[in-house]
């Protein structure tokens, strides 16, 4: 089929206030269209998410607890992590293939353009806000100048020379409108197109009906953001 429709229930608070937990949305999958910036997409969890969770503070604690569980004298608190298997997610598209993407003070951004001297740049910033437990994941999740991330626990902020600053073909950068409650591309990096199911345009709940509202995007201008010292300002 060229187009597939699916009715989906919003599973969490990560897209508030645009979408509330329990809202019903209509998701469209079409071979003729690709997601655009500001679109809301429904997708399967990428493998990079599981890797990021495994390398998070909680993931490492769970692994250590599992390793110690064979010791009958070990009375430490047991830590478990929730599997993403069988779950699906809904987030907003921040960047599409070819976009120059980074994260600054927890907010994902796209560099729209810069002048020849890099002193006058325009950024499209997604004002998601801080995550509730930023210490759980690598510091690089919240400040970097590339879409990719060192999910092995590295806390070094990448510079332009380290990795590509542009999303590759078939890559999307996604984030929840409510960054306080959203684990997204800030944590795991770009999402491959193969995980996408479709795009949500409409809420069809009885008490919440209509087109999904735009995300918290703002335009900012200033010198280029390209080194670690530019962050935390």
């Amino acid at each position: 089929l060229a187009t597939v429709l699916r009715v989906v229930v919003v599973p969490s608070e990560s897209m508030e206030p645009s979408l509330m937990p329990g809202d019903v949305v209509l998701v469209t999958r079409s071979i003729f269209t690709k997601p655009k910036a500001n679109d809301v997409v429904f997708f399967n969890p990428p493998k990079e998410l599981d890797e990021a969770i495994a390398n998070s503070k909680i993931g490492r604690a769970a692994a250590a607890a599992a390793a110690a569980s064979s010791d009958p004298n070990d009375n430490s608190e047991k830590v478990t992590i929730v599997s993403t298997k069988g779950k699906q997610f809904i987030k907003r598209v921040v960047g599409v293939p070819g976009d120059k993407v980074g994260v600054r003070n927890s907010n994902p951004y796209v560099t729209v353009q810069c002048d020849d001297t890099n002193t006058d740049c325009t950024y499209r910033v997604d004002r998601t806000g801080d995550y509730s437990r930023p210490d759980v994941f690598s510091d690089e999740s919240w400040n970097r100048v590339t879409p990719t991330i060192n999910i092995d626990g590295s806390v070094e902020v990448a510079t332009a020379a380290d990795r590509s600053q542009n999303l590759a073909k078939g890559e999307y950068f996604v984030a929840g409108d409510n960054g306080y409650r959203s684990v997204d591309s800030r944590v795991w990096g770009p999402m491959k197109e193969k995980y996408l199911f479709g795009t949500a345009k409409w809420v069809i709940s009885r008490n919440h009906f209509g087109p999904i509202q735009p995300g918290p995007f703002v335009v900012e201008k200033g010198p280029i953001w390209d080194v670690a010292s530019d962050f935390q300002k």
Side-chain angles (χ1 to χ4, degrees), residues 185-205:
S185 285
R186 297 176 298 172
V187 166
W188 74 68
M191 182 180 65
K192 303 294 191 297
E193 187 175 13
K194 66 182 180 180
Y195 295 107
L196 285 171
F197 175 81
T199 303
K201 299 285 190 182
W202 285 80
V203 189
I204 56 174
S205 300

Side-chain angles (χ1 to χ4, degrees), residues 42-225:
F42 185 68
F43 58 94
N44 294 312
K47 68 177 181 63
E48 291 83 2
L49 170 57
D50 288 327
E51 292 170 0
I53 292 174
N55 283 289
S56 70
K57 181 183 293 186
I58 293 174
R60 294 193 300 271
S69 62
S70 59
D71 182 356
N73 297 316
D74 178 49
N75 296 316
S76 61
E77 182 180 358
K78 305 305 178 185
V79 180
T80 59
I81 55 177
V82 178
S83 172
T84 63
K85 186 176 181 180
K87 296 184 178 181
Q88 292 178 308
F89 297 85
I90 191 164
K91 306 288 183 187
R92 193 177 298 275
V93 176
V94 178
V96 299
D99 279 347
K100 189 174 182 178
V101 177
V103 183
R104 190 177 196 239
N105 296 334
S106 297
N107 299 308
Y109 68 88
V110 171
T111 304
V112 179
Q113 64 180 13
C114 284
D115 65 5
D116 292 339
T117 63
N118 287 335
T119 58
D120 184 15
C121 299
T122 301
Y123 302 95
R124 184 177 70 245
V125 182
D126 185 10
R127 289 289 186 187
T128 61
D130 295 340
Y131 182 55
S132 59
R133 287 288 308 279
D135 59 300
V136 169
F137 296 101
S138 165
D139 286 355
E140 196 184 16
S141 298
W142 321 119
N143 280 300
R144 65 184 187 271
V145 295
T146 63
T148 54
I149 182 172
N150 292 322
I151 58 176
D152 61 357
S154 170
V155 297
E156 181 180 356
V157 178
T159 62
D162 292 327
R163 299 190 294 277
S164 171
Q165 293 181 285
N166 296 86
L167 290 167
K169 182 180 179 180
E171 288 186 342
Y172 294 86
F173 202 94
V174 298
D177 288 359
N178 178 16
Y180 188 78
R181 299 290 295 172
S182 180
V183 174
D184 45 46
S185 285
R186 297 176 298 172
V187 166
W188 74 68
M191 182 180 65
K192 303 294 191 297
E193 187 175 13
K194 66 182 180 180
Y195 295 107
L196 285 171
F197 175 81
T199 303
K201 299 285 190 182
W202 285 80
V203 189
I204 56 174
S205 300
R206 179 176 299 179
N207 59 346
H208 186 190
F209 185 89
I212 298 175
Q213 295 302 303
F217 290 95
V218 298
V219 174
E220 294 188 10
K221 292 181 177 289
I224 192 170
W225 300 337

